[in-house]
Amino acid sequence: MTMNEAAQQRAPQQTKPQAGPQEKSQEKPQTRQPGKTMLVKHADVLVTMDGARRELRDAGLYIEDNRIVAVGPTAELPGSADEVLDLRGHLVIPGLVNTHHHMYQSLTRAIPAAQNAELFGWLTNLYKVWANLTPEMIEVSTLTAMAELLLSGCTTSSDHLYIYPNGSRLDDSIAAAQRIGMRFHAARGSMSVGQKEGGLPPDSVVEREADILTDTQRLIETYHDDGRYAMLRVVVAPCSPFSVSRDLMRESALLARQYGVSLHTHLAENLNDVAYSREKFGMTPAEYAHDLGWVGRDVWHAHCVQLDDAGIALFARTGTGVAHCPCSNMRLASGIAPVRRMRLAGVPVGLGVDGSASNDGAQMVAEVRQALLLQRVGFGPDAMTARDALEIATLGGARVLNRDDIGALAPGMAADFVAFDLRAPHFAGALHDPVAALVFCAPSQVSYSVIDGKVVVKDGQLATLELGPVIERHNRLAHELYQAA
Ligand SMILES: [Zn+2]
């Protein structure tokens, strides 16, 4: 493959200047500088995820600024552009969408006390470690987690940060996303019901509800971009029904709808979670969500492993989304989410790697493969095909995040795509169906990733950041955190 180096060197001057947070809230970057073009050509196979789910041979894309202008066989695309990517020998797919994560947890992988516990015991063991998190730790761990996602095919991610000790802020995660170049849905999580009031988290890590709402409003006003192709959106996201009050859930929904931003939380993760809901609220988790106004196209819930038939019908009727996290569900022995039934009913389902403390290997393609395998364990060999799994991780994720500008390669969509080298050992012997092979063989790394029209991974290496020093710093901080607990 070749790349037009001269064009790439020109690119930075033509990149639109990054608006500072304060500027951004006053002026949304609606006007693009026209002109910078990118031609992607000769991909062996290009998966569009368009309305007809076309898979094109010897195909490519023509991109202007941050959006796709044309998709088709190479012969039908313009012959040149400012930047040219010749992707002969590659499979190109829409960038994968990760709908659930807790990136700070990449500091606390494989902690011995939390290796063999189910959800509530796992959380109880980890809260005391996380109580020592610092702003630097949040920023560095977010960079590391995003690097892992980017290198494994993800171009858009949400992150659910719900613990803010020692002056940590969501701004620390946002700074990391802007530095590394990932499309980001930053979820302002929160916990307000500590052990003293019958909740699960220690009292030292919960916040006052008034403070939570004030800070969430500040974040929306400072950062949230509701425009098409937005690189940054803010989400209102109390941690879970067992760590915040009914009032905060209600107030959060009101605040989110006042600003037109999405809502996110954990729901019906395992049987204990359901038992807590019945005992404390006298309702199933889905009934509780309904009662609080936590259903609709602007809401998505993580896990829903134990969502019952009435809950599935409710979610389908209201367009409420689910972030399916198969590795985490297996790691914590939570069960098998009824994804097939959800999708048949019409529930929007996306994929999530979940936090790195409950899915210690947060790789996106590996998660796609695991989604397929786990549905088959639960519901038989025809429960999910490779193409179903890929659709969940692209279009499904976009729908769950309430976006129609990502998840497919078609004119008018954001220029977010990734390329896998079909000459790598993972694909050997499977080239009769490279698309299925992507899911069944699960190569661990992309060779290219383009987000918002910019090359973020080139030849298998991050192009926006030198990763070695970040990982070194990450490991030093992880050690400090572990020692402090
Ligand atoms: Zn989670």
Side-chain angles (χ1 to χ4, degrees):
M1 72 230 69
T2 58
M3 177 177 275
N4 186 330
E5 299 290 347
Q8 204 200 14
Q9 277 166 14
R10 283 202 304 278
Q13 296 153 12
Q14 293 168 346
T15 306
K16 66 171 183 262
Q18 193 128 41
Q22 287 77 10
E23 295 155 344
K24 202 164 189 176
S25 63
Q26 283 145 19
E27 192 192 322
K28 301 274 161 61
Q30 296 293 4
T31 46
R32 285 185 297 271
Q33 302 256 319
K36 199 209 163 201
T37 55
M38 179 189 281
L39 171 66
V40 179
K41 61 180 185 179
H42 295 310
D44 285 19
V45 181
L46 184 141
V47 177
T48 63
M49 286 291 166
D50 64 7
R53 302 292 187 273
R54 288 181 306 152
E55 296 172 4
L56 307 173
R57 298 264 164 183
D58 187 5
L61 307 163
Y62 190 74
I63 291 163
E64 198 177 297
D65 293 327
N66 58 355
R67 69 193 194 284
I68 297 169
V69 176
V71 180
T74 305
E76 294 173 14
L77 295 171
S80 65
D82 295 329
E83 188 170 356
V84 177
L85 279 181
D86 187 331
L87 291 180
R88 223 173 288 256
H90 285 78
L91 166 69
V92 170
I93 63 166
L96 303 175
V97 179
N98 177 39
T99 60
H100 188 63
H101 207 332
H102 312 287
M103 297 190 185
Y104 73 89
Q105 292 179 7
S106 56
L107 291 160
T108 55
R109 291 165 145 167
I111 296 274
Q115 279 177 16
N116 305 313
E118 65 79 54
L119 178 65
F120 286 5
W122 173 87
L123 275 170
T124 308
N125 283 319
L126 284 166
Y127 280 138
K128 48 182 180 277
V129 182
W130 298 335
N132 293 308
L133 284 164
T134 64
E136 183 191 11
M137 289 175 183
I138 301 288
E139 183 171 354
V140 174
S141 59
T142 304
L143 283 175
T144 312
M146 286 185 169
E148 187 175 16
L149 287 172
L150 289 167
L151 290 169
S152 60
C154 178
T155 54
T156 297
S157 185
S158 184
D159 186 45
H160 190 188
L161 181 62
Y162 54 80
I163 188 164
Y164 294 90
N166 309 308
S168 301
R169 301 192 307 166
L170 191 63
D171 310 62
D172 306 319
S173 306
I174 290 171
Q178 290 176 333
R179 189 170 156 207
I180 208 165
M182 181 159 232
R183 204 178 288 282
F184 191 37
H185 285 229
R188 205 302 182 183
S190 53
M191 299 193 291
S192 64
V193 180
Q195 282 164 357
K196 208 170 52 203
E197 293 172 62
L200 200 66
D203 297 314
S204 66
V205 296
V206 302
E207 295 176 272
R208 289 187 342 144
E209 299 199 341
D211 296 346
I212 291 166
L213 291 166
T214 305
D215 189 51
T216 307
Q217 185 172 6
R218 172 189 71 82
L219 289 158
I220 296 169
E221 290 182 354
T222 308
Y223 294 109
H224 181 71
D225 179 358
D226 58 7
R228 194 167 175 83
Y229 314 121
M231 283 295 285
L232 180 58
R233 289 199 177 151
V234 174
V235 179
V236 184
C239 184
S240 64
F242 56 80
S243 52
V244 304
S245 74
R246 197 184 288 250
D247 273 356
L248 186 63
M249 293 295 286
R250 283 222 173 86
E251 290 295 321
S252 295
L254 290 174
L255 178 68
R257 283 168 180 143
Q258 186 188 334
Y259 284 93
V261 308
S262 285
L263 286 159
H264 179 49
T265 193
H266 295 89
L267 201 79
E269 182 163 348
N270 68 9
L271 291 172
N272 287 340
D273 194 352
V274 177
Y276 182 94
S277 182
R278 285 191 182 282
E279 190 189 319
K280 182 101 176 169
F281 312 120
M283 296 181 223
T284 66
E287 287 165 350
Y288 187 56
H290 194 200
D291 184 57
L292 297 166
W294 272 73
V295 290
R297 288 170 54 101
D298 55 350
V299 183
W300 86 101
H301 296 280
H303 302 301
C304 299
V305 172
Q306 303 296 344
L307 196 65
D308 57 8
D309 286 345
I312 291 175
L314 170 70
F315 278 33
R317 198 166 66 242
T318 54
T320 308
V322 169
H324 175 46
C325 308
C327 286
S328 172
N329 296 159
M330 289 188 283
R331 163 75 149 84
L332 297 174
S334 300
I336 305 174
V339 170
R340 177 186 160 87
R341 274 194 293 136
M342 288 178 191
R343 279 170 50 85
L344 283 173
V347 177
V349 180
L351 205 58
V353 298
D354 202 2
S356 318
S358 67
N359 174 11
D360 311 64
Q363 293 174 34
M364 204 56 201
V365 176
E367 202 70 34
V368 179
R369 178 177 193 247
Q370 211 55 259
L372 173 145
L373 296 177
L374 187 58
Q375 280 306 289
R376 292 183 177 193
V377 171
F379 311 109
D382 60 353
M384 190 180 286
T385 67
R387 285 168 172 83
D388 289 339
L390 208 51
E391 185 175 306
I392 290 171
T394 51
L395 288 173
R399 198 171 157 208
V400 162
L401 296 184
N402 208 8
R403 296 188 74 131
D404 61 4
D405 56 349
I406 58 170
L409 303 179
M413 300 297 278
D416 290 9
F417 66 90
V418 293
F420 295 87
D421 191 341
L422 293 169
R423 296 155 300 188
H426 316 87
F427 285 103
L431 297 182
H432 42 268
D433 190 352
V435 181
L438 176 69
V439 179
F440 282 110
C441 311
S444 55
Q445 197 152 332
V446 297
S447 36
Y448 281 91
S449 173
V450 170
I451 303 177
D452 209 40
K454 297 177 191 70
V455 176
V456 174
V457 177
K458 181 188 173 191
D459 291 327
Q461 302 290 323
L462 267 186
T464 48
L465 178 75
E466 200 191 338
L467 194 51
V470 173
I471 292 177
E472 229 169 82
R473 207 167 144 212
H474 180 103
N475 281 327
R476 180 172 53 75
L477 295 169
H479 182 69
E480 279 173 30
L481 190 61
Y482 184 62
Q483 292 298 113

